[in-house]
Amino acid sequence: LPSAPLPAAPPSVDGPDGAPRFGTYQGALSHARLSGLRGRFELGPFGRLRKHKKWVYGFAATPQLACLFAVVDVGYASNAFAAAVDLERRAVLFDDTALGPPRPLTLVNEAPQQGFEVRFAFAGARFEGQRPTAQAPYSFNVRTGGGRNGLTLAFDPSNTAPPLTVVAPVDGGLVNVTQKWAGLSVEGDVTVGGARHGLRGAVGGLDFTYGYLARRTAWRWAFGVGHVDGVRAGFNCVEGFNESRDDVNENAVWLGARLLPLGRARFVYEPADVLQPWTLSTTCGTLSLRLAPFFAHQERRNLGLVRSTFLQPVGVWTGTLTVDGRSHAVTLPGVAEDQAVTW
């Protein structure tokens, strides 16, 4: 693990010269506006329409139950999805997806912290999220399946390690800003067919991302949350994205009050069958994990100019986390992801 702590997040994405403040930071940006970028990083209205990509993703779990949701704004269109699974029975409770139009029906605003807001309303689905003040939790209310399925979740960022913020250059694009946060306390419930299931004592995490991305984008990703030796914990790892320079790296572990940056992530899996086991390791030796998924949220689209394959297996990551020379056995509900998109 790196010996020096990460620098604090800057006040804005753009620096005094109008260029992005590329780097990896602890803490959050007050806003993630890209409109202050200048020179070769500045885009006109048509360029923003083509390259602008923004999303919010959330995951929460107890040892028995896990749920996930996302709202994705790609400028000219949007989509949202939510799913819940029974981890003990290895059963899918619901898995719903909706395609939608762009703003104003869809909103992912530019405030990853205080003032955060997200919404989507289309095709029988409604997603709403907000964090109005610095003292408030991130609150989400999701309804799908004509209102029969849903999530009501509050992610409490107090008494935990800070988020990780990365401002990264993008090959074939311009810049990407992401805030990852795991190990958060979560309260709420999951509604399945009108019946409610409590999520008391859950652990969760959030992903806020906003960038001017490449037309063709691909990555492998892993995320997991839970408890390690009685302490709330989580991890985030990616391969193929946000790693174009040595000083940008979104791989990290949250362990109680500690945010621990990691080395590069390496995935081994079967692309033709993502329900086969996945293995994940980091070059620093901190993580060595295996996922045996039983379900995958899948979105495969070919709309001509826009084509995507989005596969997100769900299960429980098991293996070891090595910190300060000590190895901890871990069992963390989570997801893997294989995405390749032309947008």
Side-chain angles (χ1 to χ4, degrees), residues 52-165:
H52 153 117
K53 307 293 182 283
K54 192 188 297 184
W55 62 82
V56 171
Y57 174 91
F59 181 88
T62 67
Q64 297 79 33
L65 189 63
C67 59
L68 55 95
F69 64 91
V71 175
V72 182
D73 170 12
V74 297
Y76 46 80
S78 63
N79 80 291
F81 62 85
V85 298
D86 184 321
L87 295 172
E88 291 186 319
R89 295 192 296 118
R90 295 172 64 85
V92 181
L93 302 178
F94 70 84
D95 178 21
D96 297 329
T97 301
L99 293 175
R103 290 166 287 178
L105 291 179
T106 297
L107 170 68
V108 179
N109 76 355
E110 298 172 336
Q113 286 283 303
Q114 180 178 347
F116 166 84
E117 185 178 2
V118 59
R119 64 175 181 266
F120 174 98
F122 197 73
R126 180 176 292 273
F127 291 63
E128 297 176 329
Q130 56 275 318
R131 188 189 185 201
T133 69
Q135 291 72 41
Y138 292 88
S139 298
F140 297 90
N141 185 26
V142 174
R143 290 294 176 264
T144 61
R148 290 182 55 78
N149 301 326
L151 309 171
T152 303
L153 303 171
F155 292 74
D156 183 0
S158 62
N159 301 316
T160 191
L164 180 81
T165 295

Side-chain angles (χ1 to χ4, degrees), residues 190-276:
V190 176
T191 301
V192 183
R196 290 188 176 184
H197 306 262
L199 271 177
R200 187 172 183 177
V203 181
L206 297 168
D207 169 4
F208 171 95
T209 297
Y210 180 24
Y212 294 154
L213 303 188
R215 172 154 168 73
R216 293 177 177 83
T217 304
W219 62 68
R220 280 76 57 204
W221 181 64
F223 196 72
V225 296
H227 290 87
V228 174
D229 293 343
V231 175
R232 287 199 313 272
F235 72 90
N236 179 88
C237 286
V238 72
E239 184 180 27
F241 192 60
N242 284 347
E243 56 181 15
S244 56
R245 290 182 10 170
D246 290 343
D247 61 341
V248 294
N249 184 354
E250 67 167 81
N251 302 326
V253 164
W254 289 259
L255 184 62
R258 302 176 68 185
L259 169 61
L260 306 172
L262 303 175
R264 299 302 184 190
R266 299 292 180 258
F267 290 81
V268 178
Y269 68 109
E270 178 49 64
D273 184 0
V274 295
L275 291 181
Q276 293 298 311

Side-chain angles (χ1 to χ4, degrees), residues 305-341:
L305 292 176
V306 178
R307 302 181 300 278
S308 67
T309 300
F310 176 84
L311 309 173
Q312 190 173 95
V314 182
V316 177
W317 290 97
T318 58
T320 58
L321 164 65
T322 302
V323 177
D324 299 332
R326 179 187 172 195
S327 290
H328 306 259
V330 300
T331 301
L332 300 173
V335 298
E337 187 172 285
D338 182 8
Q339 165 145 315
V341 58

